[in-house]
Amino acid sequence: MTTLIYSHPACFEHRPGPGHPESPERLKAVLSALQTPEFAALKWQDAPLGTREQVELIHTPAYIEEVTEVAPRSGYAPLDGGDTVMSPGSWEAVMRCVGAACAGVDAVMKNKASNVFCATRPCGHHATPSRAMGFCIFNQAAIAAAYARDFYNLERVAVIDFDVHHGNGTQDAFYKQPELFYASSHQSPLYPGTGSRTETGISHNIVNVPLPPGCESALFRSRIEAAMLPAIRAFNPQLMIISAGFDAHELDPLAGLNLEDDDFRWITEELVKIADTSCKGRIVSTLEGGYSLQGLASGTAEHVRVLMNA
Ligand SMILES: [Zn+2]
C-alpha cells in the first residue's frame, strides 16, 4: 500500500478572477512538485464528484441552494462580497474537492491506501455551515470528518489544520459535536480573527494554537509540542484528517509566519506518529491555502514525502 493522490482537471476550472491569489496556478505548482521521479511510487486517481448528501453533512440546505443559484454560466459571481468568487467551473471543482476527501476516507477505511493526499482546490476550511468565506465554498475537511463518523460509525475523528489562517468554518461546524475534534495552529492576529485559546468547544474538542507574526521554526515546534500534540493524543482519533495549508511558509505573500520547508516535514512526521499509534496510520490530507507558488510546491513535497514513506 502506498499514498493515494486524488486530483481532477476540473479543479483548474474554478477561476476566481485575474490577480486572485487562489489561482489555478497553485494546483499546477502542486502537481508539478508531485510528478518528479522521486514521487513515482504515488498512486493517482481522479477525484470523484461529491454528492449533495455529503455536502449536507455540514452545510445547510439554504446555503447549498444559494451556491447553486449564484454559480454563473459565464463571467464571475461573488459569494461573500468579493473574497470568494464563483466562475462557471466552480461548482464542479468544489464537488470534486468534496468527492476526493470522502473517497479518501473510503480508501483508508477499506485499507486500499495507507494514507491519502487530495490535490484539489479551492480550499475549504473557512466555509461555515451557512456561509462562504475566505476563498472557501464547501468545507471538504469537515465534510469528510462527518462522513467518516456517519458512514463508518466512528466515535472520534480529528481534523488537524496547520494552514496559517484559523479554520473558523471547521471550528463552527464541530463546536458542539464532541465526536469531532479540531486543532489549529495559525497566525494571530490575522484573517478571519477567530481561533483564540479560549475557544474550546463543548468538550475541549477544539484546540487553538495562535502564533505571533514573525513566528519561526523553534517557537512553532515548541508551541505545537506543548499545546497541540498532547491534545490530539488524548483525543485518540480513529481517523485523522489534515487541513494542509502551506501559507505559513516564509515565502507566502498573504501572511507573516516564517516556517521553512523542514517545518512541514516535522509536523507531518509528528502527526504520522500519532496516527500510527491511535488509528493504524489512517490519514486523509486535503490541500488548503498556500499562495507562494514556490513555498506551496516545496511545502507540499515535504508533506507528501513523509506520507509516502509512512
Ligand atoms: Zn490560509
Side-chain angles (χ1 to χ4, degrees), residues 278-302:
S278 69
C279 54
K280 301 177 190 160
R282 292 192 288 246
I283 292 178
V284 177
S285 176
T286 181
L287 181 65
E288 298 282 359
Y291 305 97
S292 151
L293 296 181
Q294 190 187 330
L296 173 63
S298 56
T300 303
E302 293 287 347

Side-chain angles (χ1 to χ4, degrees), residues 3-26:
T3 297
L4 179 56
I5 309 286
Y6 279 104
S7 191
H8 198 282
C11 293
F12 290 111
E13 299 305 320
H14 166 61
R15 297 181 179 275
H20 197 290
E22 205 292 283
S23 70
E25 302 304 315
R26 299 180 57 244

Side-chain angles (χ1 to χ4, degrees), residues 94-173:
V94 296
M95 293 306 271
R96 297 284 174 191
C97 293
V98 170
C102 292
V105 170
D106 290 334
V108 297
M109 293 307 298
K110 293 176 177 169
N111 288 320
K112 295 201 169 137
S114 46
N115 51 48
V116 168
F117 180 70
C118 300
T120 53
R121 62 174 280 280
C123 38
H125 69 158
H126 295 305
T128 77
S130 60
R131 191 176 161 205
M133 270 180 75
F135 316 162
C136 303
I137 297 171
F138 293 148
N139 191 327
Q140 55 266 35
I143 290 169
Y147 173 78
R149 175 195 59 193
D150 290 3
F151 288 87
Y152 292 92
N153 298 314
L154 300 187
E155 292 166 356
R156 297 179 312 281
V157 183
V159 173
I160 315 302
D161 184 338
F162 56 73
D163 187 281
V164 79
H165 302 96
H166 180 241
N168 60 296
T170 311
Q171 172 170 302
D172 271 14

Side-chain angles (χ1 to χ4, degrees), residues 10 68 86 98 100 114 137 165 177 182 213 219 271 277 284 291:
T68 57
M86 293 188 80
V98 170
S114 46
I137 297 171
H165 302 96
Q177 307 207 49
Y182 177 64
L219 180 61
L271 295 178
T277 307
V284 177
Y291 305 97

